[in-house]
Amino acid sequence: MKKTLLSKMSFILIATLFLWMKTYIVYKTSFDIKIESGMQEFILLINPLSFLLVVFGVSLFMKEKRRNYYIVITSFIVSFILYANVVYYREYTDFITIPLLFTTSNLNGLSDSILELIKITDIFMFIDVLFLSFIIRNKGKRSMSAVFTFREKSIYLLMVVAVSLFNLGLAEIERPQLLTRTFDREMLVKNIGPYNYHIYDLVLTSKTKAQKALANSSDFTEIENYLSANYTKPNEELHGIAKDRNVIMVSMESLQNFVINNEINGEEITPYLNDLISNSYYFDNFYHQVGQGRTSDSEFLVDNSLYPLGRGAVFFTNAENEYRATPEILKEENYYSAVFHANNKSFWNRNVIYPNFGYDRFFSVDDYEVSEENSIGWGLKDIDFFNQSVEKMKELPQPFYSKFITLTNHFPYELDQEDKWVDEFTSNSRTLNRYFPTVRYMDESLKLFMEQLKQEGLYENSIFVFYGDHYGISENHNKAMGEYLEEEVTPFQSVQLQKVPLIIHIPGVTDKDPEVISKVSGQIDLKPTLLNLLGVEMKDEVHFGADIFSTDKKEFTVLRDGSVITEDYVYTKSTCYDKSTGEEVDGASCEPLEEKAKTELEYSDKTIYGDLLRFYEEKPF
Ligand code: GP9
Ligand code: MN
């Protein structure tokens, strides 16, 4: 009996249709993709199709029996990729990138967070795969008899090409240069679908590898020229004010600025930090600039004054590069350097990259006594962590540059009952609710840490730099956040919620003359700011930030997603806002800012992808 092409293809088409619809349902239920026109909605609807037709179409060239297994297995794999993105999106409001997948050594520590993010109903995401397996088991014989002629295969191929071009054409009209500008993953997924996006990401990854091979010293000269044209002279009065002091940096996990001097049910959330601020330099307009590498990205920014990457964690993708990080520079000033962090040493690839930054010692989980009693969530509780760290600090050669990375205030913000000193918030976001007690706990740990340092004689001759590493409450919790702040969280507000506290405390100096510095700045500026206080000449060092105390410092901060904040404007998600009113204004006002942000990030990316600092040694400028 002769079958029509359509009936022969019915199994392929059913599988395609299922996944197509499933992807669209996921768009609507699991991702927050902003749609502004009927055209965008249409592109969204059709965009999974081209990839699915290709990947299932491969089966036309297979033997019949194999074909059906291939379809079921492919359907499972593609569903799994979609599902993994759904889970990742629940916390990070972002899509997975290939470099991120190579961070598998991070997964052991993540198991708690993952359990928090998956739901029993997720099983429905695989229901079509079960259904397809059921069909081949029962109707197997019949549907396995189809053989495709050359003509039929050609018709199919033409259809695939037509659908793909149609999709790309519409996307190009809607978003010119979509594929050449890769700031925004949401835009990519919105226009070409999650599967094509992953292929695109794969191509980019290979391109990145090639970039290093092709880079040469003239690329470095270009960076040098850009940086010296934009050089900001540091503040002379403060130069060397903390010379030869021990440096004690604390990376405060997930600490956003909105909790500072704020309350929950009438109680201060950060009583200690509020107190410290009144004896310190406090920067209340300071932004985190991290990408997918989160804590590690903030470390990268702070130690190198280079931007992290738009995709993946630079700690993984470019760990072997040549760097001129702060510990290495301070070594020339006879400093010893150490990091304290009670997590696996390989987490974020730290054990590989730290020696490359010039760190002399990394105290990781193996150096701490960790038990059931003194752990919660991701590991050793902050109070115990600091407690045990002080003992090790006493042994360090001085002066030292040290960094402490806290852990308790990490998603999913678990805490023992006896450590809860303020109430949870009440909203529909468990995450936001639990955030307040863990922040309060971390605040207490910092207070105890300082008290101990005073007792051990490690306080007076030190300079303290406390900074928030990145946001703790993602945009997914905007509604609850709005309830807490008592105002709606618009994209304009969202950008400003990326402020993290920065506190610089110099005993004998800032307690006499504390100051609140409201200049717009970011983590990229911390290295030149600190090194100026330590009396280190920065002019010849490659750095993208500027001394925040400098009167010449421009109020211009670019976040890793390309958003820009200045004194007058906030630019984000292709929209320009007047900062004083929060109103949307004509895009022309932000155009130069957008351009400048793009150039800045491109030059920094180029430095990293091309491993350009390897040319620094040969030719200092
Ligand atoms: C893990 C800690 C937390 O060691 O730095 O990592 P994060 O998830 O915040 O990047
Ligand atoms: Mn972190």
Side-chain angles (χ1 to χ4, degrees), residues 253-254 294-295 410 469-470:
E253 181 56 48
S254 302
R294 300 172 50 84
T295 310
H410 193 289
D469 63 350
H470 49 73

Side-chain angles (χ1 to χ4, degrees), residues 92 110 253-254 293-296 299 341 343 347-348 350 378 405-407 410 469-470:
Y92 299 111
L110 281 172
E253 181 56 48
S254 302
R294 300 172 50 84
T295 310
S296 67
E299 292 182 62
H341 181 46
N343 197 2
F347 200 96
W348 285 133
R350 285 181 171 113
W378 277 51
I405 304 170
T406 66
L407 202 51
H410 193 289
D469 63 350
H470 49 73

Side-chain angles (χ1 to χ4, degrees), residues 78 143 175 206 277 307 362 431 446:
V78 176
S143 55
R175 249 288 135 182
S206 349
I277 280 168
Y307 294 92
F362 174 22
T431 302
L446 294 167

Side-chain angles (χ1 to χ4, degrees), residues 133-373:
S133 336
F134 180 77
I135 297 184
I136 56 167
R137 267 197 52 191
N138 292 288
K139 293 195 166 183
K141 294 257 157 40
R142 213 157 53 84
S143 55
M144 271 169 210
S145 60
V147 178
F148 293 92
T149 63
F150 177 73
R151 194 168 153 267
E152 287 168 338
K153 288 178 193 162
S154 313
I155 293 175
Y156 187 87
L157 202 69
L158 269 178
M159 179 172 79
V160 172
V161 173
V163 169
S164 308
L165 286 181
F166 183 58
N167 183 174
L168 271 181
L170 289 183
E172 182 60 30
I173 297 170
E174 189 57 39
R175 249 288 135 182
Q177 297 178 324
L178 173 72
L179 301 184
T180 45
R181 306 188 37 167
T182 35
F183 279 143
D184 190 357
R185 277 175 282 278
E186 179 183 312
M187 202 101 78
L188 279 166
V189 172
K190 183 162 140 182
N191 283 288
I192 61 172
Y195 314 116
N196 289 333
Y197 151 71
H198 283 305
I199 294 176
Y200 171 79
D201 187 45
L202 188 74
V203 173
L204 270 194
T205 307
S206 349
K207 229 174 92 182
T208 308
K209 293 238 175 323
Q211 257 169 331
K212 177 171 172 178
L214 296 175
N216 58 41
S217 61
S218 67
D219 294 316
F220 183 61
T221 314
E222 197 189 333
I223 307 284
E224 280 177 305
N225 292 343
Y226 171 75
L227 290 177
S228 59
N230 289 285
Y231 178 69
T232 307
K233 217 163 142 303
N235 182 312
E236 270 171 27
E237 252 169 71
L238 293 176
H239 185 80
I241 196 162
K243 197 168 173 45
D244 290 333
R245 287 191 187 225
N246 295 321
V247 182
I248 299 177
M249 310 270 281
V250 178
S251 158
M252 300 181 287
E253 181 56 48
S254 302
L255 190 66
Q256 286 176 239
N257 201 53
F258 75 90
V259 295
I260 300 292
N261 286 320
N262 214 336
E263 293 182 347
I264 177 89
N265 285 352
E267 305 263 8
E268 276 181 288
I269 308 160
T270 57
Y272 176 67
L273 289 179
N274 299 345
D275 188 46
L276 181 70
I277 280 168
S278 58
N279 294 303
S280 305
Y281 296 138
Y282 166 53
F283 303 78
D284 64 354
N285 246 323
F286 180 79
Y287 287 81
H288 83 75
Q289 293 162 302
V290 311
Q292 291 181 320
R294 300 172 50 84
T295 310
S296 67
D297 278 357
S298 70
E299 292 182 62
F300 187 77
L301 276 149
V302 166
D303 275 346
N304 294 287
S305 194
L306 285 167
Y307 294 92
L309 298 175
R311 311 154 43 250
V314 58
F315 265 36
F316 272 100
T317 56
N318 295 77
E320 313 290 342
N321 276 17
E322 192 65 51
Y323 291 109
R324 275 284 288 173
T326 304
E328 184 177 319
I329 295 174
L330 285 180
K331 195 161 285 172
E332 292 155 19
E333 313 287 319
N334 295 320
Y335 269 76
Y336 183 84
S337 56
V339 182
F340 298 78
H341 181 46
N343 197 2
N344 293 344
K345 59 179 185 305
S346 62
F347 200 96
W348 285 133
N349 210 23
R350 285 181 171 113
N351 57 339
V352 176
I353 208 162
Y354 281 163
N356 199 6
F357 282 177
Y359 280 106
D360 295 307
R361 179 76 161 91
F362 174 22
F363 296 95
S364 69
V365 71
D366 309 331
D367 297 284
Y368 290 85
E369 274 161 44
V370 185
S371 64
E372 276 286 298
E373 290 74 53

Side-chain angles (χ1 to χ4, degrees), residues 459-478:
Y459 171 78
E460 287 299 330
N461 194 32
S462 296
I463 166 172
F464 297 86
V465 180
F466 288 11
Y467 67 93
D469 63 350
H470 49 73
Y471 68 83
I473 306 299
S474 70
E475 289 180 11
N476 262 357
H477 309 279
N478 273 358

